[in-house]
């Protein structure tokens, strides 16, 4: 499975997911919505008919804030949503 | 109600919607998902916990393609999703 990319300024985790059709995209987004509520983490999400781009920002606004272990754990849980 | 902004290069319709909490955001996205399927139009969507940004691109990839009447009609239908 493709890895999450760790970006800097601001530090963040990013990943693109692609799907075969709109139904699969919506199914992923629905699961992700439930996971977000369970974990109280709300990534920035961009999506179209067959793709979803996710960005996880550090909880802190500090310039040098890094993705926390809990962010990375949340990213792993997102990966598990995909069959 | 705020208007949709018409942008150029590429020509597109854009609008930002803000919501009081994540539940209201999700509710809007669910309605928008059903509306997209009914109309077979799939805008580019960016969202976070309490906002949704929508971009409607012309169906044609031509450089000078303009938002069509059906795009504008779809935009009006989206506005009606918000209470």
């Amino acid at each position: 499975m493709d890895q999450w990319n760790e970006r800097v300024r601001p530090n963040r985790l990013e990943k693109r997911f692609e799907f075969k059709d709109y139904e699969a995209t919506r199914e992923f987004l629905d699961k992700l919505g439930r996971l977000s509520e369970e974990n109280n983490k709300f990534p920035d999400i961009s999506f179209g008919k067959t793709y979803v781009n996710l960005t996880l920002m550090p909880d802190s606004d500090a310039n040098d804030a890094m993705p926390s272990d809990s962010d990375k754990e949340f990213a792993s849980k997102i990966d598990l949503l995909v069959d």
Side-chain angles (χ1 to χ4, degrees), chain A:
Chain A
M1 183 182 288
D2 287 353
Q3 296 303 303
W4 288 74
N5 291 317
E6 197 162 335
R7 306 269 185 183
V8 295
R9 278 186 291 275
N11 300 302
R12 58 196 188 275
L13 295 170
E14 294 183 341
K15 188 167 177 178
R16 180 181 179 92
F17 295 84
E18 303 202 357
F19 302 94
K20 68 180 195 306
D21 56 24
Y22 183 67
E23 190 183 347
T25 303
R26 290 290 308 174
E27 193 180 316
F28 174 74
L29 287 168
D30 286 345
K31 289 179 186 171
L32 178 58
R34 287 192 290 274
L35 191 69
S36 290
E37 289 187 290
E38 286 164 14
N39 292 269
N40 196 33
K41 284 192 178 290
F42 301 92
D44 288 314
I45 301 175
S46 296
F47 72 97
K49 191 172 179 180
T50 58
Y51 73 89
V52 177
N53 287 321
L54 297 183
T55 304
L56 280 168
M57 306 287 280
D59 295 330
S60 163
D61 283 337
N63 246 349
D64 56 352
M66 299 293 292
S68 64
D69 287 347
S70 80
D71 289 332
K72 291 177 181 175
E73 191 183 334
F74 184 57
S76 299
K77 288 181 184 172
I78 293 171
D79 286 334
L80 294 176
L81 298 179
V82 182
D83 294 334

